Amino acid sequence: QVQVVESGGGLVQSGGSLRLSCVVHGSGFSVNTMGWYRQAPGQERDLVAVMTRGGVANYGDSVKGRFTISRDYAKNTVYLQMNSLKPEDTAIYYCNAEIERVVNVEGAKVTKVYWGQGTLVTVSS
């Protein structure tokens, strides 16, 4: 059973900072790409930042230079450090993890994407 759990959301003033955390619980798998997406009311879910198993990061244009993604591979955890927050960063932030499992003795692998329940970030002006 795989469970993705986010934490760290809350209310912050414009210009402030928050740090989000996301842990993948379970066993018998490895985690490939892991990261964050966000969805504001009435809008589509957009990329915030993701990081591959090899450590390559990709950021959405609106957060470049303000947000930093990092991973603790031993703990199956991803972090999002958010600085210089703006009211337009207000959204539900969802953690996303691509899980890989070996399914037979020949070493065949399957992957599946899991999402967390989301954590609300509200930035006041």
Side-chain angles (χ1 to χ4, degrees), residues 2-101:
V2 176
Q3 189 177 16
V4 178
V5 180
E6 305 105 332
S7 61
L11 173 65
V12 64
Q13 289 188 333
S14 181
S17 298
L18 278 177
R19 189 190 193 212
L20 305 182
S21 301
C22 171
V23 181
V24 180
H25 295 286
S27 61
F29 57 81
S30 58
V31 182
N32 291 338
T33 298
M34 196 172 180
W36 298 91
Y37 291 73
R38 68 186 182 187
Q39 188 168 19
Q43 298 188 21
E44 295 184 350
R45 191 171 297 189
D46 292 327
L47 169 71
V48 177
V50 294
M51 181 172 279
T52 68
R53 187 159 57 180
V56 177
N58 184 32
Y59 293 92
D61 288 340
S62 63
V63 307
K64 287 179 180 177
R66 299 187 298 123
F67 292 9
T68 303
I69 189 171
S70 60
R71 287 179 66 170
D72 184 331
Y73 294 90
K75 297 180 179 179
N76 284 337
T77 299
V78 65
Y79 304 98
L80 185 68
Q81 179 65 43
M82 305 185 292
N83 299 329
S84 302
L85 282 160
K86 306 174 182 179
E88 50 265 43
D89 293 317
T90 295
I92 299 175
Y93 284 69
Y94 295 93
C95 181
N96 168 289
E98 183 184 79
I99 303 301
E100 183 178 274
R101 293 182 186 274

